[in-house]
Amino acid sequence: MVEVLDLNDYELPLFSVDREQVLGHPELAKAFMAKVAASDAVMISFAEHNGSYSAAYKNLFDWCSRIGPKVFQDKPMVLLATSPGARGGASVLAAATSSAPFFAGHVKASLSIPSFYENFDASAARSRMKR
């Protein structure tokens, strides 16, 4: 079974040590970590924002890393990225691929697809997801 998680379902206050002292570890971050723990593998499709992680991903990751540094919990991983540009999210994919092992992620494969709008039909994908 494949379960798709939407980062919009894990919206958290911006991470800071000061907020962590006040809030502790938010339930949504704990819930995300539980999803990773229950999985056989992790596949992440990264959006590249200004050559790096999206704010939504980085914020969730920061909260999760405070729960425990093994965010990816020794799971095999496939990492993906795309962007409208010719590099296809190569910068964020390189950052993710090189950092995942430090957080107990075992990257088995990665793929970058350039020129998103020329290579992907978003309307067809939405139609398939509604089924």
Side-chain angles (χ1 to χ4, degrees):
M1 178 176 105
V2 173
E3 182 175 4
V4 176
L5 302 181
D6 184 338
L7 289 183
N8 292 310
D9 296 334
Y10 297 91
E11 191 170 327
L12 296 164
L14 287 177
F15 175 79
S16 74
V17 174
D18 294 336
R19 280 206 175 115
E20 181 185 27
Q21 289 176 348
V22 172
L23 300 173
H25 297 137
E27 290 304 315
L28 286 176
K30 291 177 188 176
F32 184 84
M33 291 289 285
K35 291 286 188 181
V36 173
S39 71
D40 294 323
V42 174
M43 179 181 288
I44 301 175
S45 179
F46 291 97
E48 184 174 273
H49 290 195
N50 297 318
S52 191
Y53 299 107
S54 70
Y57 173 82
K58 183 66 168 80
N59 192 52
L60 177 59
F61 179 86
D62 287 346
W63 279 109
C64 289
S65 72
R66 300 298 286 197
I67 293 170
K70 291 186 173 187
V71 174
F72 302 119
Q73 303 174 51
D74 293 312
K75 304 295 179 176
M77 301 180 75
V78 173
L79 304 179
L80 309 167
T82 188
S83 74
R87 295 193 65 237
S91 295
V92 71
L93 190 58
T97 301
S98 65
S99 70
F102 294 104
F103 299 97
H106 303 288
V107 179
K108 300 299 182 182
S110 64
L111 175 67
S112 169
I113 300 174
S115 307
F116 176 84
Y117 295 109
E118 288 81 27
N119 291 305
F120 188 75
D121 183 349
S123 63
R126 279 192 292 277
S127 297
R128 284 192 295 274
M129 291 184 76
K130 289 179 183 177
R131 292 183 204 160

